[in-house]
Amino acid sequence: MELQGIIKKVGEVQTFPSGFQKREMVIVTEEQYPQPISIEFLKDKGDLLNQLHEGDKVKVSINIGGREWTSPQGEVKYFNSITGWKIEKVDSMGGNEPTQASPSTTTSAPAQGSNVFEEDEDDLPF
């Protein structure tokens, strides 16, 4: 799965007593209702963030994980984690950014005299 957005924050490396390391980054999605998404980079994957800065537009390959936890009182809770494993800068000037065809190039007017309600056999919806 992939997420794309603008980097809002790049955290420092956190090292735990066991030697385990993680680094967090927050991106803000670019959609009608932008969402700040926190993504963890575990172990040596934290190094992927070294050359990135706030304001960079990126595409992040992620895994989503979930786990169940039972409190000492017996209450069951569920937690999700988003873990990044690959990241690439997206050039807003057309470099790696996916391009979309404009609607005028993908649709055409019906031929004169044809029935617009009649379906073509090879007319795919995508």
Side-chain angles (χ1 to χ4, degrees):
M1 180 178 257
E2 293 180 341
L3 289 175
Q4 186 167 309
I6 306 288
I7 296 177
K8 181 174 184 171
K9 179 182 177 183
V10 177
E12 296 297 319
V13 175
Q14 298 174 340
T15 303
F16 298 91
S18 65
F20 179 77
Q21 292 184 330
K22 79 173 185 175
R23 193 169 181 191
E24 295 178 339
M25 173 185 73
V26 177
I27 67 169
V28 177
T29 61
E30 298 177 301
E31 50 195 2
Q32 183 177 1
Y33 301 104
Q35 302 291 313
I37 307 289
S38 177
I39 304 169
E40 299 177 317
F41 290 81
L42 308 178
K43 302 178 184 176
D44 61 337
K45 296 294 182 188
D47 293 341
L48 296 173
L49 305 179
N50 289 344
Q51 303 303 315
L52 299 173
H53 306 285
E54 292 177 11
D56 287 347
K57 187 172 186 175
V58 294
K59 180 168 56 172
V60 186
S61 297
I62 62 166
N63 291 329
I64 298 177
R67 59 192 171 280
E68 182 179 286
W69 176 74
T70 305
S71 72
Q73 295 79 25
E75 184 180 1
V76 177
K77 293 194 177 222
Y78 298 92
F79 296 93
N80 299 318
S81 61
I82 301 172
T83 306
W85 54 273
K86 178 181 168 187
I87 188 166
E88 58 185 273
K89 270 188 175 180
V90 176
D91 182 7
S92 59
M93 294 299 172
N96 294 344
E97 186 169 84
T99 57
Q100 295 180 352
S102 65
S104 63
T105 62
T106 58
T107 58
S108 60
Q112 279 288 15
S114 68
N115 184 351
V116 295
F117 298 106
E118 199 174 275
E119 292 187 29
D120 290 339
E121 287 183 35
D122 62 347
D123 190 19
L124 298 175
F126 48 89

